[in-house]
Amino acid sequence: MIEIVVTEEAAGQRLDKLLRKALKDVPLSHVFKMLRTRKVRVNGARGRPEQLLAAGDKVSIRGDEEQLRAPGEKRPPRPAEVKVTFGVLFEDEHLLAVDKPSGLAAHPGTGITGATLVEQARAYLEVPAEPPAGAFVPSPAHRLDRETSGIVVVAKTRKAMVGLTHIFTSGEGVKKTYLALAKGKLTRPEGTIDLPLSEHEQTGKSKAMRGVNMQEAVTHWRVVSSMKEATLLAVRIETGRTHQIRRHLESVGHPVAGDRRYGDFPFNRIAKQRWGLDRMFLHAWKLELPHPVTGGRVRLEAPLPGELAEVLSRMNLAAPPPGGSRAKAPPAAPGR
């Protein structure tokens, strides 16, 4: 067993962030599995990933310490070796908002090769390969599926991460809008899908004891342009369940084009052959939220990637016009 007493310097951070640092050679998927299976305790109680830690808290990690701390065969790439592939949408002393390309994983994990968004962001921000003990290390404050492109907000300071954790968990003042190409033609100009979804990472033991845990999920959609075979939608979500847009659109018979998990596979083949769609057509387009430190309104917009714009052109579907509200990043610091 590993036992950690939270210091004043480490206070205020999420439990999952502390675990990533303490178990840097353990795959991220295994870290979250330990959390789900109650192998991580805080002051004797079950630890939750989003739990904020206070000075003096005692974190216990069940398992063989030697194995958990043993260096793995593959080390994360050093900052100098990392190529940055995202675009910068906004930056100040607390936040970095990036336009993540499709195919870039947010975090390291089983089956993930190459630098992730975490490592690219730290390379861009010139974070030392071995930061001082207890120092806050910039990290994404929310998740985006690997194949989904678009806006991701990175916290540069602990104060920003604490604020963003509250903002994204509560949903207060947050407005997320995606662009999705759905199979088929929707007959109404707009609509709402209010359909609870099963908890994505619920364990088999939990299901056996409590049954399937259903979570509230609400998705609003609006037609941007359409044809007989497909419809381009602007999608706004009130809740942030795992794969929410993909699962909701699949549930009403209009799955996201190119989705290899919830999609219509014959339609995906047609989309690739006729229109050249080689990825899932889902893009985190706009994000509005209060600044976690200043409280001011932050409005972000990530333009539709070129490969998706080309698909729409081949389909003779109109893309939405730019919103004109995309935040501008200030000049980069010298040396970047």
Side-chain angles (χ1 to χ4, degrees):
M1 178 181 291
I2 298 175
E3 294 187 341
I4 302 170
V5 178
V6 179
T7 64
E8 290 283 352
E9 179 61 28
Q13 66 180 304
R14 288 168 50 124
L15 175 60
D16 57 352
K17 304 295 183 183
L18 180 137
L19 293 175
R20 289 176 196 171
K21 297 172 188 174
L23 306 175
K24 58 184 178 181
D25 296 301
V26 176
L28 184 62
S29 58
H30 187 60
V31 171
F32 280 101
K33 182 178 180 180
M34 288 193 293
L35 284 163
R36 293 195 305 272
T37 55
R38 302 172 184 259
K39 292 185 178 180
V40 179
R41 297 269 172 176
V42 179
N43 300 324
R46 178 185 181 181
R48 294 171 287 104
E50 72 280 3
Q51 182 173 350
L52 299 181
L53 299 171
D57 282 347
K58 295 181 180 179
V59 179
S60 302
I61 307 169
R62 294 173 57 188
D64 186 279
E65 180 172 1
E66 185 175 348
Q67 290 183 358
L68 289 173
R69 294 192 186 276
E73 295 181 5
K74 184 180 178 182
R75 302 293 299 170
R78 302 184 73 82
E81 303 169 346
V82 174
K83 179 182 178 182
V84 175
T85 61
F86 57 70
V88 176
L89 300 172
F90 174 83
E91 183 179 2
D92 65 11
E93 64 176 307
H94 295 286
L95 303 180
L96 171 68
V98 307
D99 185 0
K100 184 187 83 68
S102 174
L104 177 63
H107 299 278
T110 304
I112 303 298
T113 58
T116 63
L117 177 60
V118 169
E119 292 148 351
Q120 288 194 22
R122 292 172 184 172
Y124 170 81
L125 295 170
E126 299 177 349
V127 176
E130 298 182 4
F136 178 80
V137 183
S139 299
H142 58 118
R143 290 179 172 270
L144 203 61
D145 294 342
R146 183 174 184 175
E147 296 307 315
T148 304
S149 54
I151 304 168
V152 178
V153 179
V154 176
K156 294 171 62 175
T157 64
R158 180 167 286 123
K159 188 174 184 180
M161 179 60 83
V162 171
L164 287 169
T165 298
H166 170 74
I167 289 168
F168 283 118
T169 300
S170 67
E172 296 175 5
V174 179
K175 184 177 180 180
K176 300 178 183 178
T177 307
Y178 294 71
L179 291 174
L181 184 67
K183 174 194 173 186
K185 184 171 183 176
L186 282 82
T187 57
R188 291 183 293 145
E190 59 185 26
T192 296
I193 304 171
D194 186 348
L195 178 69
L197 296 171
S198 59
E199 183 180 347
H200 193 66
E201 294 188 344
Q202 188 179 6
T203 64
K205 183 178 180 181
S206 173
K207 290 179 182 178
M209 293 177 61
R210 301 187 295 128
V212 177
N213 182 30
M214 303 301 291
Q215 299 176 312
E216 178 189 7
V218 180
T219 301
H220 305 284
W221 55 266
R222 174 178 57 83
V223 173
V224 177
S225 55
S226 66
M227 58 189 296
K228 181 180 179 180
E229 295 92 340
T231 304
L232 179 64
L233 300 173
V235 182
R236 182 171 61 84
I237 57 176
E238 288 188 17
T239 48
R241 307 307 180 195
T242 301
H243 302 164
Q244 177 174 323
I245 294 174
R246 299 162 63 184
R247 295 164 76 186
H248 264 176
L249 288 178
E250 186 273 337
S251 74
V252 296
H254 297 282
V256 176
D259 189 338
R260 296 184 179 92
R261 182 166 185 171
Y262 304 100
D264 181 293
F265 303 119
F267 177 73
N268 289 347
R269 286 195 296 270
I270 293 172
K272 182 174 182 178
Q273 294 168 357
R274 292 180 57 182
W275 308 307
L277 181 62
D278 289 322
R279 51 159 288 197
M280 182 169 66
F281 201 122
L282 185 60
H283 178 67
W285 180 34
K286 293 183 179 183
L287 175 63
E288 295 185 23
L289 73 165
H291 193 288
V293 178
T294 68
R297 195 71 180 163
V298 178
R299 294 180 174 85
L300 305 164
E301 181 180 328
L304 193 67
E307 70 272 15
L308 297 186
E310 181 62 28
V311 168
L312 293 183
S313 177
R314 294 190 185 111
M315 300 176 77
N316 291 319
L317 285 179
S325 60
R326 193 187 334 160
K328 302 296 183 180
R336 286 197 188 143

